[in-house]
Amino acid sequence: MKEKISLATARRVALAAQGFTDPRPNGTPGRRHLARVLARTGLLQIDSVSAVVRAHYMPLYSRLGPYRLSLLDDAAATRKRMVFEYWAHEASFLPVETYPLMRWRMERAERGNEMYNGLAKWGREHTIYIEDIYREVIDRGPIAASALEGQKGSGGWWGWSDAKYAFEWLFWAGRITTASRRGFERLYDLPERVLPRAILGLPVPSPEDAHRELLRISARAHGVATAGDLRDYFRLSPADIKGRIEELVEAGELLPVRVEGWDKPAYLHKDARFPRRIEARALFAPFDPVVFERARTERLFNFRYRIEIYTPAEKRQYGYYVLPFLLGDRIVARVDLKADRPTGVLRVHAAYAEPAAPAETAAELFEELKLMRGWLGLERIEVTPAGDLGPALVDIAAS
């Protein structure tokens, strides 16, 4: 057992845990490859922003290269369902096998806990209406919140209609789930009409056992992590994990270590891999598990990352939708991208190199951008010479 590991080693361990030692498939990735990624990540965070492609599609691309978007769509909507939607790190796709591990959260939500305070308060005040909506799902599911007529937005919390509030409350409580999506809009139905019968028949663990198992999944996905990292992956509370990490240490599943430069104790998963090199090249969505916990990203990669979608344009430092670029075991650049589908153009609004980025950064980034352009079905790349890496990309694009 290693009592102390270098920061470079921690990066390689973390990237190996997320699947970046696995080669990208030569052919078209299929369900077997999707299952392998899910086994590594444990979840795919869902987000609606489609400046490039919606964020839940990107982690598969980052690890597998070009694949059919229908691979994930089918895994989330067909009878051979591999994933279901629920609140994990945020709204996420989770392997269906994880469903029993989330029942504690659903049960708490039904009691008015484990959900947004505004939604919980609304639910307490509208119990009869919620039951009316539940009966609509029973009678008409799969159904979208927008299918109910006369339910106008109140201008209140997120401007949701009463129907949308009720659907979201029922979703948190686990009484309904996502059957499929129409565009990005959820179509809701009963879990027993959506999830595989074998999954619904699995025993439901106690909250303590579920928290312990979620920490195991988190530890495998991290490779090496602090207690805060482990807790954050599934948004567990400090009370939820009290004593659980110590139990996993005592069982030999987590190994206490010190990581160079970290000011908090860390834990190494017992099956963590220690590759000597990482030969990876990938663009990350803002909600990829490698970077979605910003403090951990900074600790591991010395890379300060913030999403600036909601920042006024004149105050943005790097751009609207900025993707970190991984080369080897380091994040060496960031690029502000937009998929302009009407014109068939992948637009590079700006690109910035990190300190000590290798000389080949621009060339490698452009190769990855070409791969992404093809995956998204776009015709060409247009680069604006903004940022310290922008001019080099312009020269490469022109050559």
Side-chain angles (χ1 to χ4, degrees):
M1 215 267 304
K2 299 187 178 185
E3 293 183 356
K4 184 175 181 179
I5 62 176
S6 69
L7 183 58
T9 297
R11 280 198 302 270
R12 294 194 294 271
V13 167
L15 289 167
Q18 283 286 317
F20 286 96
T21 55
D22 300 336
R24 287 176 171 177
N26 290 324
T28 302
R31 288 171 67 90
R32 175 173 60 87
H33 301 98
L34 170 58
R36 186 179 70 190
V37 172
L38 287 171
R40 301 272 194 234
T41 66
L43 56 80
L44 300 172
Q45 186 175 331
I46 299 169
D47 189 75
S48 63
V49 177
S50 57
V52 178
V53 66
R54 289 195 169 103
H56 41 285
Y57 293 110
M58 270 293 295
L60 295 176
Y61 170 76
S62 300
R63 291 153 178 80
L64 300 176
Y67 73 97
R68 293 175 291 103
L69 296 184
S70 60
L71 177 65
L72 181 56
D73 295 338
D74 292 346
T78 62
R79 289 189 175 183
K80 294 183 178 180
R81 182 181 298 266
M82 297 173 67
V83 296
F84 74 105
E85 289 187 33
Y86 193 60
W87 293 96
H89 186 77
E90 291 290 339
S92 301
F93 287 117
L94 299 158
V96 289
E97 294 80 9
T98 310
Y99 182 77
L101 301 179
M102 306 309 293
R103 288 295 305 163
W104 63 274
R105 178 165 282 163
M106 298 173 189
E107 291 166 3
R108 285 186 188 176
E110 193 162 17
R111 297 195 298 268
N113 303 315
E114 288 289 329
M115 65 168 65
Y116 299 127
N117 289 335
L119 183 57
K121 180 177 183 294
W122 186 92
R124 289 191 294 271
E125 297 169 351
H126 296 83
T127 55
I128 294 174
Y129 182 72
I130 287 171
E131 294 306 316
D132 290 342
I133 294 297
Y134 184 61
R135 284 191 289 273
E136 290 283 348
V137 177
I138 293 174
D139 294 341
R140 298 172 58 185
I143 184 173
S146 63
L148 298 181
E149 298 178 357
Q151 303 293 336
K152 295 182 179 179
S154 64
W157 192 54
W158 289 0
W160 281 0
S161 68
D162 283 351
K164 179 62 174 173
Y165 273 110
F167 277 106
E168 287 296 323
W169 191 96
L170 289 163
F171 179 80
W172 267 102
R175 295 176 62 186
I176 63 175
T177 190
T178 306
S180 61
R181 284 182 179 263
R182 183 173 55 209
F184 194 68
E185 184 179 31
R186 285 185 185 134
L187 298 178
Y188 298 95
D189 208 341
L190 305 179
E192 54 266 35
R193 297 202 294 231
V194 169
L195 299 174
R197 186 176 301 175
I199 297 301
L200 293 170
L202 292 173
V204 176
S206 68
E208 294 78 14
D209 287 342
H211 298 155
R212 193 180 296 109
E213 186 58 33
L214 290 172
L215 284 172
R216 288 189 181 104
I217 296 170
S218 176
R220 284 196 299 270
H222 282 97
V224 62
T226 65
D229 297 333
L230 295 174
R231 180 174 66 80
D232 181 72
Y233 208 71
F234 287 96
R235 293 288 201 249
L236 303 172
S237 73
D240 290 333
I241 70 163
K242 187 176 181 180
R244 302 286 87 84
I245 289 177
E246 291 80 2
E247 291 165 356
L248 294 174
V249 169
E250 186 174 352
E253 298 182 54
L254 294 181
L255 309 174
V257 294
R258 291 179 295 129
V259 176
E260 175 192 5
W262 291 13
D263 60 2
K264 294 180 180 178
Y267 300 90
L268 186 73
H269 189 268
K270 66 180 179 66
D271 297 327
R273 292 172 292 167
F274 286 80
R276 293 185 177 182
R277 294 178 61 85
I278 297 284
E279 301 288 350
R281 191 185 72 193
L283 287 162
F284 291 135
F287 307 110
D288 190 288
V290 173
V291 297
F292 63 29
E293 209 296 293
R294 307 303 192 213
R296 173 179 167 82
T297 303
E298 196 160 351
R299 270 187 280 116
L300 268 177
F301 297 99
N302 193 27
F303 181 80
R304 190 177 189 278
Y305 183 42
R306 301 291 185 272
I307 191 164
E308 299 181 271
I309 289 173
Y310 304 111
T311 302
E314 67 276 8
K315 295 183 179 181
R316 291 178 192 140
Q317 182 177 5
Y318 294 109
Y320 178 79
Y321 201 74
V322 173
L323 280 62
F325 178 54
L326 177 76
L327 189 62
D329 67 358
R330 294 172 52 213
I331 295 176
V332 298
R334 63 187 89 202
V335 56
D336 182 18
L337 291 181
K338 179 175 176 57
D340 188 346
R341 291 173 178 84
T343 61
V345 175
L346 180 61
R347 299 194 182 279
V348 181
H349 291 309
Y352 301 86
E354 287 297 291
E360 66 271 19
T361 295
E364 293 285 354
L365 174 57
F366 195 77
E367 287 301 310
E368 193 64 25
L369 291 171
K370 287 196 298 183
L371 196 67
M372 175 177 274
R373 178 202 58 76
W375 175 53
L376 296 176
L378 302 173
E379 296 173 4
R380 64 189 188 279
I381 298 171
E382 291 188 4
V383 182
T384 301
D388 58 5
L389 205 58
L393 291 177
V394 170
D395 290 345
I396 294 169
S399 62

